[in-house]
Amino acid sequence: MPQLDLYQVDAFSAAPFGGNPAAVVPLQAWLPDATLQRIAAENNLSETAYVVRRGDVHELRWFTPAVEVDLCGHATLATAWVLFEQLGAGEEVLRFATRSGELQVRRAGDGLAMDFPAKRPVAEAIPDGLLRALGLPAARALYRTDDYLVVIDDESLIDGLAPDFAALAAFDVRGVAVTAPSTRHDFVSRWFGPRVGVNEDPVTGSAHTSLAPYWGQRLGKTVLSAEQGGARKGQLRCELRDNGRVVISGQAALYLRGTIFL
């Protein structure tokens, strides 16, 4: 019976039970896409990452329980952590070949730093029904990349959000981030993605490729601290670069190691 190693890592957290859990499955060679999707559905985490080494580069793919996605930050962080801390990777910089181009991850103090392409949000009118689906009385503005960024002024509303996920799934975007300025960090947010099979992602690294450029411009900063989540939270550091990239840093912790039997 074929067996695969599985690691479940809490990304953007210094200890288990925080941040965002991701499954990481190292492979010797690619399995059929249908098998990858079935494993992700069985894991029932927001992301399962699969990694195959090809010389100096690691091919990396990410699956929600429903679909394969183009970019996932927390599962990239989790994969890099497994390669560095569990599988003995000796490189100074890990290079990943992905559907979003080459991504690089390096050690940064007691965490890891990921180099991602930044996305510039574009202002749009708030579509009918969006605020109602989120349970918000009003919003300051709305911006769009592959997500909607709904900007509000009161961070105290963030924790209490209880969206209508069926209504949110009708909007033709990957997900919806609700974000506000914070007294504890530069900004806070929550991210909802029922359209891609993830009602709420506790900490979404890829969403910060849009959130960081917005808040950097608004606050006049190139280095920002952020926190995402409701009952479960994680912390990120975002550094905007002049080359159109954003470096997203955080810690990770191993929750479990197991075996998949196929």
Side-chain angles (χ1 to χ4, degrees), residues 16-184:
F17 308 113
N20 196 357
V24 179
V25 182
L27 301 172
Q28 297 300 312
W30 288 109
L31 300 172
D33 287 4
T35 302
L36 300 179
Q37 189 63 71
R38 290 178 71 184
I39 293 171
E42 187 78 7
N43 290 339
N44 200 31
L45 297 170
S46 61
E47 300 289 346
T48 295
Y50 302 94
V51 62
V52 175
R53 181 162 195 145
R54 302 289 191 203
D56 294 335
V57 176
H58 299 268
E59 296 178 355
L60 178 61
R61 297 170 69 183
W62 311 277
F63 288 75
T64 76
V67 297
E68 184 175 7
V69 298
D70 292 337
L71 182 65
C72 177
H74 85 279
T76 301
L77 186 76
T79 301
W81 189 91
V82 168
L83 292 173
F84 277 133
E85 303 297 337
Q86 298 291 302
L87 301 180
E91 302 98 316
E92 181 179 339
V93 178
L94 293 173
R95 298 169 57 209
F96 294 104
T98 79
R99 283 168 54 160
S100 292
E102 181 173 307
L103 306 177
Q104 297 185 358
V105 184
R106 68 179 68 232
R107 295 183 187 273
D110 56 1
L112 298 175
M114 304 180 291
D115 186 331
F116 281 2
K119 298 176 182 177
R120 293 292 173 182
V122 176
E124 290 193 358
I126 299 174
D128 290 342
L130 179 61
L131 296 184
R132 183 167 59 252
L134 290 167
L136 285 171
R140 177 189 181 105
L142 179 133
Y143 294 83
R144 181 171 183 159
T145 54
D146 50 346
D147 294 330
Y148 278 146
L149 309 184
V150 180
V151 183
I152 62 176
D153 292 323
D154 185 356
E155 72 171 312
S156 69
L157 297 177
I158 295 287
D159 280 354
L161 289 173
D164 179 337
F165 294 118
L168 274 189
F171 294 94
D172 187 20
V173 288
R174 184 190 68 151
V176 179
V178 182
T179 185
S182 172
T183 57
R184 297 170 291 111

Side-chain angles (χ1 to χ4, degrees), residues 215-233:
W215 285 108
Q217 182 176 42
R218 177 170 163 181
L219 299 177
K221 292 185 172 184
T222 57
V223 178
L224 304 112
S225 68
E227 184 174 77
Q228 183 185 329
R232 183 176 183 133
K233 292 178 169 58

